[in-house]
Amino acid sequence: QVQLVESGGGSVQAGGSLRLSCGASGFTSSRYCMGWFRQAPGKEREGVAYIDMNGRTSYRDSVKGRFTISQENAKNTLYLQMNSLKPEDSAMYYCAIRRDENWCGQRWDSYGMDYWGKGTLVTISS
């Protein structure tokens, strides 16, 4: 059974930083695409950043230069370092995984990921 558990959310002021973590277990494929997504109240869930098993990354335009996705394979953990946070970054953040590295960066909606975590809340005050 695949489980993804996010942590690290919280409340910070604009300009601050947070690092999100996602612990993965039960996923056995050596090929994958992992991603961070977010959903603000009243909005659709959107892709934020992707990384595949080779470490190739992609980002949505609004977070480029501010967010960094990374992984620590030995710990089966995915990270999202978020700097220079803005109020519009406020959302529930989710991690997700799909058994297809070619999927990374192909879409920026929430379609197509195989497994999801339950999310961690990020609130940025102005």
Side-chain angles (χ1 to χ4, degrees):
Q1 182 179 358
V2 177
Q3 284 193 316
L4 301 173
V5 181
E6 303 93 338
S7 61
S11 298
V12 298
Q13 290 191 324
S17 297
L18 283 172
R19 189 175 83 154
L20 306 183
S21 299
C22 172
S25 61
F27 189 81
T28 57
S29 176
S30 60
R31 300 174 61 185
Y32 62 83
C33 172
M34 289 196 77
W36 285 100
F37 296 74
R38 65 187 181 188
Q39 187 168 18
K43 294 190 176 182
E44 296 293 319
R45 192 173 298 187
E46 62 184 20
V48 174
Y50 291 101
I51 189 167
D52 69 13
M53 71 285 184
N54 295 312
R56 291 176 295 207
T57 61
S58 53
Y59 300 89
R60 73 180 299 112
D61 287 345
S62 61
V63 307
K64 285 180 181 177
R66 300 189 298 122
F67 290 11
T68 303
I69 189 171
S70 62
Q71 59 190 346
E72 190 171 356
N73 291 335
K75 294 185 177 181
N76 292 327
T77 303
L78 179 72
Y79 302 101
L80 185 68
Q81 178 67 42
M82 305 187 295
N83 299 327
S84 302
L85 283 161
K86 304 175 181 180
E88 53 264 42
D89 294 318
S90 296
M92 185 72 79
Y93 281 72
Y94 302 87
C95 68
I97 193 167
R98 178 183 167 105
R99 293 185 181 90
D100 178 7
E101 74 276 18
N102 297 310
W103 191 258
C104 279
Q106 294 302 305
R107 300 180 67 114
W108 293 98
D109 56 21
S110 62
Y111 176 80
M113 302 305 281
D114 293 324
Y115 302 98
W116 292 86
K118 294 184 178 180
T120 186
L121 184 63
V122 171
T123 304
I124 311 303
S125 58
S126 58

